[in-house]
Amino acid sequence: MNTAAVVVTIVGSVLTLTGVAFTARATTRAAQATARANTAAAQAAAEPSQRAEDRAAFEAIKAELRTELNATREEVKGLRALVRSFAWYVGELTSQMRGHGIEPPAPPSRIDEYNRTGV
């Protein structure tokens, strides 16, 4: 083999190795870019599903709170009716005591306030 053929062979080999290195690096970068694109696509595809799940959870919590609120309102209505009944009953007992000449003890300030304001 002559010198020129050896030089061409060596230069060709170096260029081939350089090309292989650039190709491998480009392939790796392309694979990384594809992986990032796939991840972004998966997140974008999952977002509507996640929003639907969040919405369903919110609706369930809202329904539970509504049920509890309605139960609390009914309980408050019942307690108010009970307080009014007690107030009427105590008023009747007080009137009977006074009718028999017995002066009842003064009510606590909170009861006096309720009798004045109804609250």
Side-chain angles (χ1 to χ4, degrees), residues 25-110:
R25 195 168 91 187
T27 302
T28 302
R29 287 186 180 169
Q32 290 171 347
T34 301
R36 286 191 301 270
N38 287 341
T39 301
Q43 288 174 344
E47 188 171 324
S49 174
Q50 183 62 46
R51 284 189 180 193
E53 288 176 21
D54 291 346
R55 179 75 174 171
F58 174 74
E59 291 297 331
I61 291 168
K62 190 168 80 171
E64 181 181 342
L65 288 175
R66 242 190 212 131
T67 301
E68 288 179 17
L69 179 61
N70 288 335
T72 302
R73 283 180 179 160
E74 290 302 314
E75 184 178 357
V76 168
K77 285 180 187 177
L79 290 172
R80 282 183 182 157
L82 180 64
V83 167
R84 286 186 187 108
S85 294
F86 268 113
W88 178 83
Y89 181 69
V90 169
E92 287 295 311
L93 290 176
T94 300
S95 294
Q96 286 181 12
M97 288 175 73
R98 286 188 177 133
H100 290 350
I102 303 170
E103 186 60 31
S109 61
R110 179 66 181 107

